[in-house]
Amino acid sequence: MAEFRVRVSTGEAFGAGTWDEMSVIIVGTEGETLPLPLDHFGKEFSAGAEEDFEVTCPQDVGRVLLLRLHKTPPALPRPFWPLASDAWFCRWVQLTPPRGAPLRFPCYQWLEDQGSLVLREGTAKISWEDRHPTLQQQRQEELQARREMYSWKTYIPGWPRCLNEETIKNLDLNIKYSLAKNITFYLRGGSMLAHLKLKGLLDRKGLWKSLEEMRSVFSFRKTPAVEYVFEHWQEDAFFAYQFLNGLNPVLIRRCRHLPKNFPVTDAMVALVLGPGTSLQAELEKGSLFLVDHGILSGIRTNVINRRPQFSAAPMTLLYQRPGCGPLLPLAIQLSQTPGPDSPIFLPSDDKWDWLLAKTWVRNAEFSIHEALTHLLQVHLVAEVFTLATLRQLPHCHPLFKSTGIGIEGFSELIQRYMEQLNYSILCLPEDIRARGVEDIPGYYYRDDGMQIWGVPSSLGTREALIQYVTMVIFTCSAKHSAVGTGQFDFSAWMPNLPPTMQLPPPTSKGQASLEKFIATLPPVNATCDVIIALWALSKEPGDRRSLGTYPDEHFTEVAPCWSIAAFQSRLAQISRDIQERNQDLELPYTYLDPPIIENSVSI
């Protein structure tokens, strides 16, 4: 006879406890036990509880290899919900054998209906370390079950493949939002929807009456960043700043040679460059930068309120003043084809001509950001990285119906970009070098991101693996925060980042005015649709787990626990450095402060 002590820890989340009956099978090197009931008088497995059981098996099973937990409905109907499924969330099971130290079996899974879980002791092992046939068989069976549960499908041709599920309702509890997260998410979006509905804006299909009326969209959801955007959105320095630290800080690159289809001349930019220099001199110095939205050229556009929408594929030339002066725009061309119908707009032009040109660039930024930098790089590609592909696209990105290029344009844009997307683009150090922006001042996305990345590149096998894993972690945590958390901050004042444009790009100068500017911007209802979505998607809906926070104790060995502690200490120092730097900034850059970064793509 062998007596074991079994301690079971139930999760603290709402609904984590169960009325169902549990049993455990202990599997060892010399055999396995029959199902051993885990039973006290009354209800066991309450939410947040840790309970001890003593079980006796008639034979010695040898060194313990596995535990099999089994859940069955009780013989009598469950109280309160006799017909409902009674899921249970198990944190871990600790087994104390007759001789030897306790063994911890991490679980952190939901068990639904009548079912079983197979748990291994918490020591991490790769395949060749499983020398016992029982462990080898268990590994193969688990992998086979995962392949069957998480199969691939092609959602749209040319897109990354994704999880083969039609709806999130089909997913099991382990990969769904928690109840608390779901409620918070819909309450957040619902509160904004109700606010705009009561104001009579949500169903209004016409134009905005004035720029002042647009402020009413965010009148009860102000943040310091939103207020800053409203105050500075027309300024050239802030327009350029957003290429470095806005929602899409990954396009700007150093310009050594002007593109042939962007015929900027010295006379055009002399006012900004000042005396004693020229375009060629500044190109050779490396002080000119280019943002090219050429991938949008000819993209299909949407129809909103029965009106066709318009898109542009602009090129923007920027100049970094000597010293620590601000980055400034020099010239904007709104198409990829120069000519009489595609003038080059300049800061010296009429106020409304120049502002409208900059706003077309900002509209292009919205499309590229939402379709490529955000949706593709940190959601769809992240889904591929996980291999299990545990997320469903439409649930968290309801932006398609109110954007200028729509779902067809999004699809076409993603298909185009997939042809040029490569590994180096996803590795921050290599991407920074490839774009030639290692030394441009005030580039906080680069500075903070490189601190969090923290791993040197190498061609060695072990180092290459470390870099790959770092790239996956960075993409799914830090990069997602950098391009997602500020969506409401930069978009709440809609003219700063318009999701669609109702009139075509200007083909000549001198035609713009306040009235034409407002007529070009999105209609009221489309503005509200996007603002509601971005308000919901910019804020983590509860159950926050910041980068480096691991409440699920999957590791039991000393080495990984030490590594986690060291990582957390480093992140704390990075956070202190960022917060100290931000005290001196007019607009603090917070999106890569570690407490703001989620451990993974969670919204």
Side-chain angles (χ1 to χ4, degrees):
M1 302 288 285
E3 292 189 355
F4 293 85
R5 173 171 290 181
V6 182
R7 170 167 284 192
V8 181
S9 177
T10 298
E12 298 178 349
F14 178 80
T18 182
W19 289 87
D20 284 0
E21 297 174 353
M22 299 291 167
S23 61
V24 62
I25 295 174
I26 303 171
V27 181
T29 54
E30 303 299 327
E32 62 183 65
T33 69
L34 295 173
L36 305 171
L38 303 176
D39 188 29
H40 290 149
F41 180 75
K43 185 190 177 188
E44 298 87 20
F45 315 112
S46 300
E50 291 185 10
E51 297 165 289
D52 289 317
F53 304 88
E54 290 187 357
V55 297
T56 303
C57 54
Q59 79 274 21
D60 181 9
V61 297
R63 180 171 59 87
V64 176
L65 301 174
L66 305 169
L67 296 183
R68 294 195 181 102
L69 282 179
H70 190 66
K71 182 169 83 73
T72 55
L76 297 176
R78 304 180 183 100
F80 309 113
W81 300 281
L83 300 179
S85 171
D86 191 17
W88 174 54
F89 186 83
C90 175
R91 296 179 67 236
W92 47 260
V93 177
Q94 183 169 290
L95 183 74
T96 304
R99 297 173 298 278
L103 303 172
R104 178 68 68 90
F105 294 79
C107 181
Y108 301 100
Q109 298 180 63
W110 288 94
L111 186 55
E112 300 182 78
D113 303 317
Q114 178 171 322
S116 300
L117 287 174
V118 179
L119 305 182
R120 297 176 61 138
E121 192 270 327
T123 302
K125 290 184 178 180
I126 55 179
S127 58
W128 60 265
E129 293 178 298
D130 279 341
R131 293 189 170 87
H132 196 279
T134 299
L135 295 177
Q136 295 171 350
Q137 180 181 353
Q138 183 275 330
R139 182 184 290 265
Q140 292 303 315
E141 290 174 350
E142 180 179 348
L143 290 175
Q144 182 61 33
R146 284 180 174 271
R147 293 187 184 110
E148 293 173 0
M149 180 176 290
Y150 306 123
S151 59
W152 296 91
K153 76 172 180 182
T154 299
Y155 180 67
I156 293 177
W159 285 36
R161 291 194 298 168
C162 63
L163 178 65
N164 186 20
E165 288 289 1
E166 295 301 320
T167 170
I168 60 171
K169 295 179 181 179
N170 298 338
L171 304 178
D172 66 72
L173 286 176
N174 290 304
I175 53 177
K176 284 183 178 178
Y177 267 8
S178 68
L179 180 61
K181 189 183 286 282
N182 253 325
I183 291 173
T184 305
F185 179 81
Y186 287 109
L187 284 177
R188 183 182 298 279
S191 66
M192 179 66 86
L193 185 148
H195 171 74
L196 297 175
K197 186 82 170 177
L198 289 173
K199 282 182 170 286
L201 300 175
L202 194 60
D203 301 315
R204 219 175 91 192
K205 297 181 178 180
L207 301 177
W208 291 96
K209 296 175 183 177
S210 66
L211 292 177
E212 289 71 26
E213 187 189 31
M214 295 178 192
R215 286 204 76 182
S216 62
V217 172
F218 64 90
S219 60
F220 87 123
R221 288 291 185 261
K222 296 178 182 177
T223 69
V226 168
E227 291 286 3
Y228 187 92
V229 170
F230 175 76
E231 295 295 333
H232 298 274
W233 70 284
Q234 297 188 49
E235 298 173 5
D236 286 359
F238 182 64
F239 170 80
Y241 166 92
Q242 293 181 84
F243 291 121
L244 299 176
N245 303 306
L247 289 182
N248 199 37
V250 297
L251 283 189
I252 185 170
R253 61 179 55 246
R254 195 178 301 272
C255 182
R256 296 292 186 181
H257 305 280
L258 275 178
K260 292 182 179 179
N261 60 338
F262 194 14
V264 182
T265 66
D266 284 317
M268 292 178 181
V269 298
L271 189 64
V272 178
L273 292 184
T277 188
S278 65
L279 274 174
Q280 186 58 40
E282 296 301 330
L283 287 168
E284 292 173 1
K285 279 195 251 181
S287 60
L288 298 186
F289 296 85
L290 181 69
V291 177
D292 188 350
H293 294 94
I295 196 170
L296 286 167
S297 186
I299 208 78
R300 285 174 287 183
T301 56
N302 202 1
V303 175
I304 298 176
N305 299 336
R306 300 185 179 181
R307 291 186 58 178
Q309 305 298 293
F310 297 89
S311 178
M315 289 185 283
T316 304
L317 188 65
L318 302 121
Y319 170 55
Q320 176 63 56
R321 288 187 179 277
C324 294
L327 185 71
L328 293 173
L330 281 178
I332 294 172
Q333 182 177 286
L334 295 180
S335 80
Q336 298 289 305
T337 306
D341 293 334
S342 183
I344 295 175
F345 293 91
L346 307 168
S348 56
D349 290 338
D350 173 78
K351 168 188 173 182
W352 291 108
D353 281 341
W354 180 236
L355 183 61
L356 185 58
K358 289 192 294 181
T359 304
W360 273 104
V361 174
R362 298 299 297 152
N363 168 251
E365 277 284 274
F366 179 94
S367 297
I368 296 293
H369 166 263
E370 290 298 345
L372 304 182
T373 311
H374 187 201
L375 175 60
L376 176 61
Q377 290 193 23
V378 299
H379 281 273
L380 301 184
V381 171
E383 190 167 343
V384 174
F385 289 153
T386 64
L387 299 180
T389 58
L390 301 181
R391 284 166 291 278
Q392 181 73 356
L393 171 64
H395 180 59
C396 290
H397 290 274
L399 295 175
F400 297 132
K401 67 177 183 178
S402 298
T403 61
I405 60 175
I407 183 63
E408 290 186 353
F410 266 56
S411 299
E412 186 178 354
L413 197 54
I414 288 172
Q415 289 164 351
R416 290 183 185 183
Y417 192 69
M418 281 295 291
E419 296 177 0
Q420 56 186 265
L421 180 63
N422 58 53
Y423 180 55
S424 296
I425 291 174
L426 300 174
C427 293
L428 181 66
E430 295 184 24
D431 179 53
I432 294 295
R433 285 194 296 271
R435 291 190 286 118
V437 289
E438 302 97 321
D439 56 358
I440 186 170
Y443 196 4
Y444 308 122
Y445 166 75
R446 173 202 60 208
D447 298 341
D448 298 352
M450 288 298 292
Q451 286 196 83
I452 292 168
W453 180 276
V455 176
S457 301
S458 173
L459 296 177
T461 302
R462 184 183 183 92
E463 288 74 14
L465 175 62
I466 291 173
Q467 175 171 320
Y468 178 80
V469 173
T470 302
M471 180 271 292
V472 173
I473 294 172
F474 183 86
T475 299
C476 298
S477 58
K479 188 170 184 178
H480 180 258
S481 180
V483 304
T485 307
Q487 289 180 96
F488 184 77
D489 290 342
F490 288 97
S491 303
W493 176 240
M494 178 270 290
N496 182 62
L497 202 66
T500 187
M501 302 290 256
Q502 297 198 89
L503 296 179
T507 56
S508 62
K509 297 184 181 183
Q511 305 299 314
S513 63
L514 172 60
E515 292 73 22
K516 189 168 184 178
F517 182 80
I518 292 176
T520 305
L521 294 176
V524 177
N525 61 334
T527 300
C528 293
D529 287 341
V530 171
I531 293 301
I532 290 169
L534 296 182
W535 168 249
L537 296 176
S538 294
K539 308 296 180 183
E540 171 57 33
D543 292 354
R544 173 175 289 279
R545 293 188 180 184
S546 299
L547 185 63
T549 303
Y550 308 109
D552 298 352
E553 299 172 353
H554 288 284
F555 294 100
T556 60
E557 309 99 302
V558 172
C561 292
W562 182 88
S563 296
I564 289 171
F567 181 50
Q568 292 169 337
S569 176
R570 174 63 179 143
L571 290 174
Q573 182 59 53
I574 292 172
S575 180
R576 288 190 292 270
D577 293 343
I578 290 174
Q579 291 177 30
E580 182 178 352
R581 187 239 6 242
N582 283 344
Q583 291 178 3
D584 298 325
L585 297 182
E586 192 174 357
L587 178 61
Y589 185 76
T590 62
Y591 307 121
L592 286 176
D593 190 358
I596 301 296
I597 301 171
E598 279 287 319
N599 256 335
S600 64
V601 178
S602 58
I603 186 171

